């Protein structure tokens, strides 16, 4: 779908459908919705009076214009209560309206900027959110379905605003929104891909094309490289699979050549069977999505390469399968991570923290700081927070706050969990320096405490996306399956830190 902006009058735009809006409780629509109402002889006002249009959030009303306007149809989308309306509501209403119009067969659609008029929002941010919601909401994953879809595609979306002087600013918002949403959809594609199509090698090849197409630095560490570096924890997990592990390194250099690069690390388990501590078969198929953190990092690097902030960023993705092959890691085995710390493998299903341990050590060796890791790390985080939000833990409160704010601006909810010293007790081992499980209590926290053994004094935030990375039911602009969560948060972190760089 192409999105462009024109200055003009929505009642004179010749398209298959125009999208206007109404806040809940408004009886006489004003602005663009009022103009459309007038062109249609007052039908919107009449439907409000009859109670058919209430303006409830995400409510859709279709009106056929039968020659009274250039556009063939008008969709009135409800914005809900004005005091509750946010940039994230803009994403949601656009997703719902676009899916509705796709079903109706519309190819060319025009919209006004929801929230910009009576809503009093910043125009650039509102149009960015509008763009994101439209692209994210129309996402489908049909790569392996040979049957033709029942619906066509919306080919063009025209954003209409009266004020010509706003065009450059609106174009900027549309550009940023489409870069972020397309990158998110790319992360969704990688994550939805079945594990037989998304092995560690496939993930590395996907990252390689992203890097080649967008001019990023790129490298893959092979098994021998990992051996030389002493990545015993990552290699331990990889032992049980025939697929060779890959350690993906992507770099963007937009800042001063001497400035310390920001480091992103994404968990890249392309399939998590649990290993010898095997998972129950029910729901195991969802573990094809255990590389959602890795996908988020690769997709964020892609968006950063397009938006070109003045900062250096390096993305790391340790990738392997976790399978119970003949050479697999066994409960009780002891591994040695890159920083020399020894780990008792109490449970082979706690593999994420093992591969992240070596990735964090490698990030420190490269001198990256601060670090943000993204991982579908614990079922415990899913139990604690559900699929609504990401869990955040870290060793630097200021950094945690920045990451949460970056998420908030992206419409991605992040909730901090505590890192009290007392939790460390649960990771103590009698045979090694630390063990990879901390028991049933506070599982998301003990996992983060384990990672803290490897980030040491480098400022670091861990995002546990086990909940929101994969959803079972559509929620406005999130489609069932992989959500691409954290892509937009990571990009916003890079954009925000770029603003802080010495000029
Ligand atoms: N990939 C899983 C966590 C997960 C669970 C992600 C559900 C998404 C949905 C992770 O590798 C795992 O298996 N964690 C174990 C750790 C335990 C053995 C300490 C868990 O959470 O059960
Ligand atoms: Mn696991
Ligand atoms: Zn896992």
């Amino acid at each position: 779908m192409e999105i462009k902006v024109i200055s003009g009058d929505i009642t004179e735009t010749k398209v298959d459908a125009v999208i206007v809006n109404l806040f809940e409780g408004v009886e006489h629509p004003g602005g663009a919705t009022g103009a459309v109402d007038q062109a249609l002889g007052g039908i919107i006002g009449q439907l409000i009076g009859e109670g058919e249009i209430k303006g409830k959030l995400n409510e859709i009303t279709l009106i056929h214009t039968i020659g009274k306007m250039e556009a063939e149809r008008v969709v009135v989308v409800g914005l809900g209560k004005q005091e509750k309306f946010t940039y994230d509501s803009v994403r949601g209403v656009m997703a719902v309206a676009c899916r509705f119009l796709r079903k109706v067969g519309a190819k060319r659609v025009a919209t006004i900027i929801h929230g910009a008029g009576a809503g009093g929002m910043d125009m650039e941010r509102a149009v960015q959110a509008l763009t994101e919601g439209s692209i994210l909401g129309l996402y489908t994953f049909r790569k392996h379905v040979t049957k033709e879809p029942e619906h066509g595609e919306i080919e063009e979306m025209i954003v209409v605003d009266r004020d010509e002087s706003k065009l450059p600013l609106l174009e900027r918002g549309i550009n940023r929104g489409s870069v972020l949403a397309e990158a998110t959809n790319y992360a969704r594609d990688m994550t939805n891909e079945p594990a037989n199509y998304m092995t560690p090698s496939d993930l590395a090849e996907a990252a390689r094309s992203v890097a080649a197409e967008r001019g990023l630095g790129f490298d893959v560490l092979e098994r021998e490289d990992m051996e030389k570096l002493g990545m015993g924890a990552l290699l331990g997990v990889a032992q049980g699979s025939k697929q060779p592990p890959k350690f993906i390194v992507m770099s963007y250099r937009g800042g001063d050549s001497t400035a310390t690069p920001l480091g992103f690390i994404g968990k890249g388990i392309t399939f998590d069977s649990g290993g010898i501590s095997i998972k129950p078969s029910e729901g195991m198929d969802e573990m094809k999505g255990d590389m959602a953190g890795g996908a988020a990092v690769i997709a964020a690097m892609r968006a950063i390469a397009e938006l070109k902030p003045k900062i250096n960023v390096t993305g790391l993705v340790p990738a392997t399968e976790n399978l119970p092959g003949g050479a697999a890691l066994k409960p009780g085995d002891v591994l040695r991570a890159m920083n020399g710390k020894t780990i008792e493998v109490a449970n082979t299903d706690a593999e994420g923290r093992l591969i992240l341990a070596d990735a964090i050590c490698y990030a420190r060796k490269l001198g990256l700081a601060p670090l943000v890791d993204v991982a579908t790390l614990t079922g415990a985080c899913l139990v604690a927070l559900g699929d609504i939000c990401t869990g955040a833990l870290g060793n630097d409160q200021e950094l945690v706050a920045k990451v949460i704010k970056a998420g908030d601006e992206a419409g991605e909810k992040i909730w901090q969990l505590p890192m009290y010293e007392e939790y460390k007790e649960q990771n103590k081992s009698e045979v090694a320096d630390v063990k990879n499980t901390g028991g049933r209590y506070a599982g998301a926290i003990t996992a983060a405490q384990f990672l803290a053994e490897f980030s040491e004094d480098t400022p670091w935030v861990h995002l546990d996306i086990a909940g929101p990375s994969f959803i079972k039911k559509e929620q406005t602009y999130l489609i069932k399956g992989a959500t691409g969560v954290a892509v937009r948060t990571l990009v916003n972190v890079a954009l925000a830190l770029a603003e802080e760089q010495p000029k």
Side-chain angles (χ1 to χ4, degrees):
M1 178 178 54
E2 203 194 327
I3 305 184
K4 60 181 197 192
V5 55
I6 60 165
S7 81
D9 185 335
I10 192 98
T11 61
E12 284 161 16
T13 315
K14 199 170 156 44
V15 285
D16 298 328
V18 299
I19 306 171
V20 292
N21 63 47
L22 192 79
F23 278 115
E24 194 174 333
V26 172
E27 282 169 24
H28 306 286
T33 307
V36 168
D37 185 35
Q38 220 162 42
L40 297 178
I43 183 72
I44 297 178
Q46 190 184 323
L47 291 171
I48 296 169
E50 290 166 359
E52 181 170 337
I53 303 183
K54 297 190 177 69
K56 292 238 184 259
L57 186 61
N58 299 329
E59 167 193 272
I60 297 280
T61 309
L62 175 66
I63 299 168
H64 292 268
T65 62
I66 47 172
K68 288 188 179 160
M69 245 175 71
E70 289 288 339
E72 286 181 29
R73 301 170 190 84
V74 168
V75 159
V76 184
V77 58
L79 302 185
K81 295 203 169 67
Q82 185 164 343
E83 63 275 15
K84 281 194 160 180
F85 194 69
T86 63
Y87 293 99
D88 208 42
S89 328
V90 178
R91 293 187 187 95
V93 296
M94 278 311 283
V96 172
C98 284
R99 275 202 303 276
F100 176 82
L101 285 169
R102 176 173 65 187
K103 215 160 59 195
V104 166
K107 300 265 178 260
R108 295 184 68 237
V109 170
T111 185
I112 56 170
I113 305 170
H114 313 294
M121 285 177 166
D122 176 81
M123 299 271 280
E124 188 175 338
R125 285 189 67 189
V127 84
Q128 180 184 332
L130 177 158
T131 304
E132 290 174 7
S134 308
I135 298 173
L136 293 170
L138 290 169
Y139 176 81
T140 54
F141 184 72
R142 299 186 50 90
K143 191 177 151 202
H144 303 286
V145 183
T146 58
K147 207 171 119 237
E148 285 297 311
E150 277 166 25
H151 57 74
E153 289 298 335
I154 297 180
E155 285 154 14
E156 191 178 7
M157 161 92 65
I158 304 163
V159 178
V160 185
D161 191 68
R162 284 179 172 282
D163 188 351
E164 207 182 330
S165 71
K166 293 267 159 51
L167 289 186
L169 160 163
L170 295 176
E171 271 160 12
R172 252 194 339 258
I174 291 174
N175 177 57
R176 186 177 306 137
S178 50
V179 167
L180 287 167
E182 299 288 359
T184 304
N185 283 350
Y186 183 60
R188 290 173 172 182
D189 277 345
M190 285 188 275
T191 309
N192 280 324
E193 197 68 80
N196 60 328
Y197 284 88
M198 190 49 71
T199 63
S201 302
D202 293 321
L203 191 62
E205 285 317 304
R208 187 193 300 279
S209 351
V210 166
E213 281 159 25
R214 291 167 176 82
L216 293 168
F218 182 77
D219 195 16
V220 180
L221 306 184
E222 304 293 341
R223 197 192 296 268
E224 307 78 72
D225 303 311
M226 299 172 201
E227 280 163 2
K228 275 186 209 129
L229 287 161
M231 295 180 164
L234 169 56
L235 286 165
V237 176
Q239 266 167 227
S241 167
K242 288 208 167 158
Q243 292 292 338
K246 302 280 166 175
F247 193 112
I248 301 162
V249 183
M250 299 172 90
S251 53
Y252 167 78
R253 293 293 174 266
D256 191 286
S257 62
T258 59
T260 307
L262 160 67
F264 291 154
I265 303 171
K267 172 176 171 181
I269 296 289
T270 60
F271 189 74
D272 182 11
S273 71
I276 296 295
S277 313
I278 200 158
K279 289 182 181 295
S281 43
E282 172 142 2
M284 201 200 272
D285 57 308
E286 278 181 30
M287 286 299 124
K288 69 175 184 178
D290 211 18
M291 34 55 74
V297 167
I298 294 168
M301 294 303 292
R302 164 180 145 153
I304 290 167
E306 291 175 0
L307 296 174
K308 301 188 170 49
K310 290 196 168 57
I311 188 171
N312 298 330
V313 189
T314 297
L316 305 178
V317 182
T320 173
E321 293 183 326
N322 184 25
L323 290 183
L329 207 54
K330 301 165 293 296
D333 285 0
V334 172
L335 302 173
R336 187 186 167 91
M338 196 177 149
N339 67 349
K341 286 199 182 174
T342 58
I343 305 165
E344 177 192 356
V345 181
N347 188 317
T348 66
D349 198 11
E351 84 298 339
R353 66 197 78 182
L354 296 175
I355 70 167
L356 290 174
D358 277 333
I360 291 170
C361 293
Y362 189 64
R364 279 169 49 82
K365 182 185 148 80
L366 294 181
L368 311 182
L371 301 177
V372 182
D373 83 70
V374 187
T376 46
L377 203 65
T378 66
C381 201
L382 175 62
V383 170
L385 303 175
D387 61 9
I388 307 300
C389 73
T390 293
L393 303 103
N395 61 8
D396 180 316
Q397 192 54 34
E398 219 178 296
L399 184 64
V400 173
K402 279 181 197 165
V403 173
I404 292 175
K405 179 157 181 278
D408 186 53
E409 283 165 7
E412 297 189 320
K413 297 182 178 67
I414 303 176
W415 194 260
Q416 187 178 4
L417 298 171
M419 283 286 270
Y420 300 126
E421 288 282 321
E422 287 86 338
Y423 290 110
K424 285 193 172 167
E425 193 66 32
Q426 290 170 240
N427 287 336
K428 284 213 169 125
S429 166
E430 283 174 17
V431 299
D433 297 336
V434 65
K435 68 176 177 188
N436 78 333
T437 61
R440 256 169 36 84
Y441 288 4
I445 301 172
T446 54
Q449 287 289 12
F450 178 92
L451 297 179
E453 299 279 345
F454 302 88
S455 53
E456 301 186 53
D457 58 359
T458 301
W460 152 83
V461 173
H462 159 62
L463 296 177
D464 193 331
I465 57 166
S469 65
F470 220 79
I471 56 168
K472 293 199 159 72
K473 226 180 109 219
E474 181 180 286
Q475 306 162 21
T476 67
Y477 60 89
L478 302 180
I479 308 303
K480 186 177 166 197
T483 60
V485 72
V487 173
R488 287 169 297 126
T489 296
L490 290 178
V491 178
N492 283 351
V493 168
L495 296 178
L497 293 182
E499 291 300 313
E500 290 177 15
Q501 300 279 308
K503 295 265 150 49

